[in-house]
């Protein structure tokens, strides 16, 4: 019998109605299992998202996934502290057992539950911000924090890489319907850079709110076997290995030589970054004093409009991450003065628009920094101390401590 | 009619086979929705 004859016989063996029933049952069952996966905590012993559980390796955590982590970690009566922001707060260069949020948890004690939802390169409205907002009714006693640079604003629905989280939550009806934010999003999407790919993203998240394929296949990828392969997966023989078996690869900055942390060849480029924090924000007046350059700060106020719904502003702490003294000491004295002003004015301006804000790093040493901006675990201990005091004060002001 | 043909044409086998293939197609379709809607390029992190 030829292959064609075998194929014909197999085809005649199908019962069309049963086949369609099978398709519907198979697809429907996975949708239901996806809904189930969305309620379960897939990340046992969660410390932070790693390269294996982030967009760097095409893993896109869902808002339900993050909410489930919080529900699994938090104990009754605890105040929820969600850490968002970028690689600095994620703890790049701090091994998992010495990540700064562990020290923050220790400092704050049992009354608080600290969860690190920061991602490399994410902004103030990404990741953790979305999860915290989605949990606002379940855990109303919450503090959200993220970091930013002076004069840096953001986009309400998040940066291009991470905005999938916002739209995931949006299509699942988990966010506040805030007209000011909606208007700001509408405005930002007029720019081609932000508009690109939005139709595809809406389609994906709209379909997912019905079919829950992201939660289901993230569960499989993380726990059972990897379903999203690529050049980033270590070793050809390990491409099916579940992501949860891949260890957090974060190195310890303090175990690395100074020459690889502060690379001589990058000095010029890093000094441009350091100067970039303040150089455009001030001009000298006739008396030689630094004066704010209004258009830059106006742009800051425009880029912070509608970032968070009004009811979530007060519980949001914006940290101003200063650069390492290794670079700051190389600035001329008047540049150092301008740099200081930029951080202090940025804190004041975030406070002016309704957020809590503080800067850190002015008294940190070179060893507290692993490179220009990321902290060593040593610096993480110092940051945790400063932030825990601020979180305590915010909890007091917000009346969280009265309701215990 | 050869033995394979006879076996495949029996009603229970025909329905079981169709159901199994249908289930596989349903699972595949769900997976394709997941994979085809993922961004094409992974995010390359350099330094921020």
């Amino acid at each position: 019998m030829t292959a064609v004859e075998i194929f014909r016989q197999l085809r005649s063996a199908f019962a069309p109605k049963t086949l369609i029933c099978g398709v519907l049952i198979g697809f429907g069952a996975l949708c239901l299992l996806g809904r189930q996966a969305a309620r379960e905590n897939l990340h046992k012993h969660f410390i932070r998202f790693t390269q294996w559980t982030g967009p760097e390796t095409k893993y896109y955590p869902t808002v339900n996934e993050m909410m489930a982590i919080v529900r699994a970690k938090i104990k009754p009566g605890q105040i929820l502290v969600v850490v968002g922001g970028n690689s600095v707060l994620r703890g790049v260069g701090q091994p998992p057992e010495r990540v700064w949020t562990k020290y923050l948890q220790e400092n704050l004690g049992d009354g608080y539950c600290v969860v690190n939802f920061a991602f490399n390169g994410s902004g103030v409205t990404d990741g953790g911000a979305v999860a915290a907002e989605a949990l606002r009714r379940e855990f109303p006693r919450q503090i959200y924090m993220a970091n930013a640079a002076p004069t840096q604003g953001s986009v309400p629905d998040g940066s291009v890489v991470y905005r999938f989280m916002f739209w995931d939550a949006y299509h699942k009806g988990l966010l506040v319907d805030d007209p000011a934010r909606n208007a700001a999003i509408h405005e930002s999407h007029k720019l081609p850079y932000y508009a690109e790919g939005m139709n595809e993203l809406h389609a994906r998240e709209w379909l997912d709110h019905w079919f829950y394929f992201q939660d289901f296949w993230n569960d499989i990828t993380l726990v059972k076997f990897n379903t999203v392969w690529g050049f980033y997966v270590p070793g050809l023989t390990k491409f099916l290995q579940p992501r949860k078996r891949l260890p957090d690869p974060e190195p310890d900055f303090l175990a690395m030589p100074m020459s690889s942390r502060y690379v001589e060849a990058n000095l010029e480029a890093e000094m441009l970054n350091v100067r970039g924090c303040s150089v455009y924000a001030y001009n000298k007046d006739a008396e030689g004093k630094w004066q704010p350059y209004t258009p830059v700060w106006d742009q800051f106020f425009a880029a912070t409009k509608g970032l968070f719904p009004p009811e979530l502003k007060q519980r949001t702490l914006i940290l101003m991450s200063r650069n390492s003294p290794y670079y700051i000491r190389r600035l001329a004295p008047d540049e150092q003065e301008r740099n200081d002003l930029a951080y202090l004015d940025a804190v004041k301006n975030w406070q002016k628009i309704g957020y809590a804000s503080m800067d850190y790093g002015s008294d940190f040493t070179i060893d507290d920094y692993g490179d220009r901006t990321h902290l060593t675990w040593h610096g993480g201990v110092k940051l945790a101390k400063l932030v825990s005091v601020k979180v305590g004060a915010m909890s007091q002001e917000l009346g969280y401590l009265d309701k215990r | 009619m050869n033995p394979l043909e006879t076996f495949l044409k029996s009603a229970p086998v025909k329905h079981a086979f169709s159901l199994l293939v249908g289930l596989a197609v349903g699972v595949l379709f769900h997976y394709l929705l997941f994979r085809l809607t993922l961004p094409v390029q992974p995010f390359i992190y350099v330094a921020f």
Side-chain angles (χ1 to χ4, degrees), chain A residues 217-234:
Chain A
W217 291 103
N218 273 6
D219 181 6
I220 298 292
T221 294
L222 195 69
V223 182
K224 302 285 193 300
F225 58 88
N226 180 29
T227 62
V228 190
W229 314 287
F231 60 87
Y232 38 78
V233 177

Side-chain angles (χ1 to χ4, degrees), chain A residues 45 69 187 204 390:
Chain A
H45 316 295
I69 291 169
E187 202 58 37
R204 166 182 162 196
K390 183 72 179 172

Side-chain angles (χ1 to χ4, degrees), chain B:
Chain B
M1 198 177 278
N2 65 42
L4 176 64
E5 208 174 343
T6 315
F7 176 73
L8 289 175
K9 290 237 165 125
S10 68
V13 172
K14 193 172 178 172
H15 285 287
F17 180 68
S18 301
L19 188 69
L20 280 176
V21 172
L23 286 172
V25 171
V27 169
L28 181 70
F29 187 57
H30 198 259
Y31 176 65
L32 284 179
L33 263 183
F34 168 67
R35 277 308 296 265
L36 295 179
T37 57
L38 283 180
V40 176
Q41 290 291 332
F43 164 55
I44 310 292
Y45 172 70
V46 185
F48 290 86

